[in-house]
Amino acid sequence: MSRMEDEEFRRRKMEEVLEVKSLRRIISAYLNYPEAAEEDIRRYESYFRRLPPSHKGLLSHLPLKFKKLRWCISQNSYFIFEMLKAFDPPLDMSQDIDISSEQFVDDVSDNNPFSGERNPCQCESSSGQISSLKADELRFGGSANAVHGSPKAEPVCEEKKTNPSVESNPENCSIGSAFDKKVCVSSPDWLDPALQLHVPLVDVDKVRCIIRNVVRDWASEGQSERDQCYKPILEELGRLFPDRTKGSPHSCLVPGAGLGRLALEISCLGFISQGNEFSYYMMICSSFILNHTQTAEEWTIYPWVHSNCNSLSDSDQLRPVSFPDIHPASAGITEGFSMCGGDFVEVYNDPSQVGVWDAVVTCFFIDTAHNVVEYIEIISRILKDGGVWINLGPLLYHFADMYNQEDDMSIELSLEDVKRVASHYGFQIEKESTIETTYTTNPRSMMQNRYFASFWTMRKKPFATTEQRA
């Protein structure tokens, strides 16, 4: 092996080590979920014990509420672990690497699924075939055969989809014991507790965010929010492409696809639809819902238990939400539906993507950029001449509050500047409006953050100049 080959081998090995560590951190965040929740409940109980007797008398129902909270969280934990058992890691998670270094926790970005120079992931299509975007990519998720046709049953557990160890008596539930029992039964070797990391609470907060996203994308309770955000997009696609047929379906890319519902709905309209997602927190969950759910309403979670604020009643806070509201494999998707994991810039800046897509749909996405100009440039490059860009979302730039991060940047443009940059890259506005909407909001909360999101259709002008494409 030459010196250059040896250096390349070492570089790739180091990247793989960092990727394994980063993925272990994400898995650890999921596994740390019940422990972090238990700490919250113990804090609530501690506050209650400090009350004067007369105040305790007025709030005598709270100890029972705390027991019910434990039961609800055990149900969430049960779903999380069943999801992890179905996950097919893209890397050898049993590698004998040093995971005890505290420096790793500091080095890995909270916003990236992998550290270092990441390889874009492969796309797993509805036919079960892997469509490669670049060499040496990473695969995520299980078989996608379930997305297109009859799902294959996963013999991961003979128990019901609610945790039977606590289902009959929620008042005697212990989060740790119920969850630990599941960790020890039929679990993959890479879920061995010895391989897990102690992660900061901010990582566990991302798990709670995923639970709320499940409601937004896959529960009946999220239908109103989907109607606000997804319905205008779907109607616009239907208006712009009335001639779509199975013989020659149009192609549509959905960057920032999250848990995949919008990409699936677009596929059901008759498009070859591809969702792209960067977050491994999202990818693990979307893969499970798309590929491993057997029936509608198969799972039940309690998404609102982590906030005691702005609740109209305890029953609202403790209410269950069942999902998915539809069975993904039976939804009527177009052949070619796929979910692609990887950074949008790295995956779609590839020369093979130039002029490939008839439409690009971005929903609550463009403000996730470090450099929104780069996003717009790539969207223009990958669209065919005459292709359309449909966008809905605010400009809540995700990296705007990153202080003392010399390697990071955040370019925060006004809506006026965003449209001006889009014009430079060959886009012409055909339709524009403002849509009032929420994002993963508890519909029964006394406080609901609302966005006045910008909604537009832009068309890439034919015969764009070389300068505009550059």
Side-chain angles (χ1 to χ4, degrees), residues 124-127 131 148 267 271-274 333-339:
E124 193 159 17
S125 70
S126 59
S127 62
S131 57
H148 191 70
S267 176
F271 289 83
I272 296 174
S273 173
Q274 181 173 103
I333 59 177
T334 301
E335 186 170 359
F337 170 60
S338 60
M339 290 288 288

Side-chain angles (χ1 to χ4, degrees), residues 139-243:
R139 175 189 176 194
F140 77 88
S143 170
N145 290 327
V147 176
H148 191 70
S150 301
K152 194 173 182 179
E154 285 288 312
V156 293
C157 182
E158 296 179 357
E159 298 175 278
K160 291 161 59 178
K161 294 302 186 291
T162 52
N163 191 340
S165 64
V166 295
E167 182 182 19
S168 59
N169 194 357
E171 297 181 15
N172 294 325
C173 173
S174 168
I175 297 174
S177 62
F179 191 65
D180 291 344
K181 180 180 178 181
K182 300 307 300 176
V183 172
C184 299
V185 178
S186 304
S187 57
D189 292 341
W190 54 269
L191 285 179
D192 187 331
L195 297 177
Q196 307 312 315
L197 299 163
H198 179 73
V199 297
L201 287 177
V202 66
D203 285 12
V204 181
D205 283 341
K206 294 175 185 176
V207 175
R208 297 176 179 181
C209 178
I210 293 297
I211 293 173
R212 295 193 299 272
N213 270 273
V214 169
V215 180
R216 172 180 168 86
D217 261 19
W218 293 105
S220 296
E221 188 166 312
Q223 185 65 55
S224 176
E225 198 168 271
R226 291 196 298 275
D227 285 345
Q228 294 168 4
C229 293
Y230 298 168
K231 190 175 180 179
I233 292 171
L234 297 171
E235 290 177 347
E236 184 69 353
L237 281 170
R239 182 185 71 84
L240 292 168
F241 297 93
D243 60 338

Side-chain angles (χ1 to χ4, degrees), residues 192-387:
D192 187 331
L195 297 177
Q196 307 312 315
L197 299 163
H198 179 73
V199 297
L201 287 177
V202 66
D203 285 12
V204 181
D205 283 341
K206 294 175 185 176
V207 175
R208 297 176 179 181
C209 178
I210 293 297
I211 293 173
R212 295 193 299 272
N213 270 273
V214 169
V215 180
R216 172 180 168 86
D217 261 19
W218 293 105
S220 296
E221 188 166 312
Q223 185 65 55
S224 176
E225 198 168 271
R226 291 196 298 275
D227 285 345
Q228 294 168 4
C229 293
Y230 298 168
K231 190 175 180 179
I233 292 171
L234 297 171
E235 290 177 347
E236 184 69 353
L237 281 170
R239 182 185 71 84
L240 292 168
F241 297 93
D243 60 338
R244 59 193 185 279
T245 64
K246 292 184 178 179
S248 56
H250 297 282
S251 60
C252 181
L253 175 66
V254 187
L259 296 186
R261 181 59 177 266
L262 179 57
L264 180 138
E265 296 284 357
I266 292 172
S267 176
C268 292
L269 287 180
F271 289 83
I272 296 174
S273 173
Q274 181 173 103
N276 164 242
E277 178 53 50
F278 184 40
S279 166
Y280 239 108
Y281 290 93
M282 291 282 191
M283 290 193 293
I284 292 171
C285 189
S286 66
S287 176
F288 181 76
I289 294 173
L290 290 169
N291 298 316
H292 297 283
T293 50
Q294 307 298 308
T295 62
E297 311 292 344
E298 182 176 2
W299 298 93
T300 299
I301 54 174
Y302 296 79
W304 316 117
V305 295
H306 299 294
S307 176
N308 293 325
C309 301
N310 292 302
S311 293
L312 294 173
S313 69
D314 288 349
S315 61
D316 277 344
Q317 183 186 2
L318 300 171
R319 71 184 185 277
V321 172
S322 296
F323 72 96
D325 62 316
I326 60 171
H327 180 217
S330 305
I333 59 177
T334 301
E335 186 170 359
F337 170 60
S338 60
M339 290 288 288
C340 176
D343 177 75
F344 171 70
V345 172
E346 292 185 11
V347 173
Y348 296 96
N349 211 20
D350 189 272
S352 66
Q353 293 294 304
V354 174
V356 168
W357 301 94
D358 295 295
V360 172
V361 166
T362 52
C363 183
F364 277 76
F365 172 71
I366 63 171
D367 56 357
T368 66
H370 286 281
N371 178 5
V372 67
V373 178
E374 185 175 37
Y375 272 19
I376 296 170
E377 179 183 17
I378 293 173
I379 291 170
S380 174
R381 184 179 298 146
I382 65 178
L383 276 171
K384 299 175 181 177
D385 284 340

